[in-house]
Amino acid sequence: MEAAFAAFPDAEFEVKWAPFQLMEGSPTMSKLDGYRKFMGDEAKIRGYWKRLESEGSQTGINFEFDGQMGDTFEAHQLAEWALETKGPVMQDKLVEAQFSEYMEVGAPPSDRASLLRAVEKVGLDPNEAKKVLENGQYAQKTKDRIGSVRGKVQGVPHFYINGKDAGSGAMPTEEWVGKLRRVA
């Protein structure tokens, strides 16, 4: 997405992440087992991963498919906290760091140590983040925001541009540029 933004040097973009859970309450499992729940056939999964690797290589993302996946609720709570207390730029940095932990390191998004590494990496206070998770102050807000898109969103990440549905999932830079041109 960021690579597509570069095609519009005179435009300003604001990214805000909204929570959504594909695997609500799911235990931690291998990425292969998790993808089987959605895609079934292992050959189809491996083909999808091959496409992601290709797209990732264009933007500097080195996908790790031997890692784990699981529930994302705590990651979403921290993203809500960052948005409310530090604004959309810091939220975007945090979510990107969380993605890196999951997609490149292979840590499940439910792993507290991974979440706190992401917090620290972007310059937020890990002790404050621990408190957010321990006291659940963003839990209800996060649940409410997830509920507001249930039935509308089928994949993650899911994108809206100027409030209009722009689709789900990883997209090549050229596809992003095309979507942005249509609303520019």
Side-chain angles (χ1 to χ4, degrees):
M1 180 173 59
E2 285 83 6
F5 291 169
F8 303 89
D10 296 328
E12 290 185 30
F13 296 94
E14 180 178 79
V15 175
K16 290 183 186 175
W17 295 92
F20 182 75
Q21 292 184 278
L22 284 177
M23 299 179 58
E24 187 173 352
S26 175
T28 299
M29 65 185 78
S30 74
K31 287 184 181 180
L32 182 58
D33 287 341
Y35 275 89
R36 276 189 184 120
K37 289 180 179 250
F38 298 106
M39 300 175 81
D41 180 55
E42 187 171 334
K44 186 177 178 182
I45 295 165
R46 298 219 180 260
Y48 174 67
W49 287 354
K50 193 170 194 76
R51 191 194 89 188
L52 286 179
E53 281 180 321
S54 174
E55 291 173 10
S57 70
Q58 297 173 25
T59 57
I61 299 171
N62 299 306
F63 284 97
E64 164 59 61
F65 297 112
D66 292 327
Q68 297 182 311
M69 63 190 320
D71 189 78
T72 56
F73 191 67
E74 287 193 342
H76 291 305
Q77 288 180 75
L78 291 176
E80 291 295 307
W81 162 69
L83 177 62
E84 188 172 292
T85 62
K86 302 296 181 184
V89 172
M90 184 55 76
Q91 184 206 36
D92 186 42
K93 288 179 182 178
L94 176 60
V95 171
E96 293 289 340
Q98 289 174 338
F99 282 162
S100 178
E101 283 288 318
Y102 170 66
M103 291 185 229
E104 297 180 293
V105 175
S110 55
D111 180 68
R112 281 255 176 119
S114 169
L115 293 173
L116 296 176
R117 276 194 308 270
V119 163
E120 192 165 29
K121 181 179 178 181
V122 301
L124 292 170
D125 184 346
N127 291 319
E128 197 61 37
K130 278 186 209 173
K131 288 180 194 171
V132 165
L133 296 176
E134 288 167 1
N135 70 25
Q137 73 190 75
Y138 288 88
Q140 190 58 52
K141 180 178 185 171
T142 303
K143 285 178 188 176
D144 292 344
R145 291 198 66 205
I146 290 168
S148 74
V149 295
R150 193 164 274 124
K152 300 175 192 169
V153 172
Q154 302 302 318
V156 294
H158 191 89
F159 303 98
Y160 292 88
I161 300 172
N162 292 341
K164 293 188 168 68
D165 193 325
S168 294
M171 291 181 241
T173 300
E174 306 78 44
E175 188 174 342
W176 268 112
V177 169
K179 288 178 181 291
L180 293 170
R181 272 205 175 95
R182 286 191 288 279
V183 298

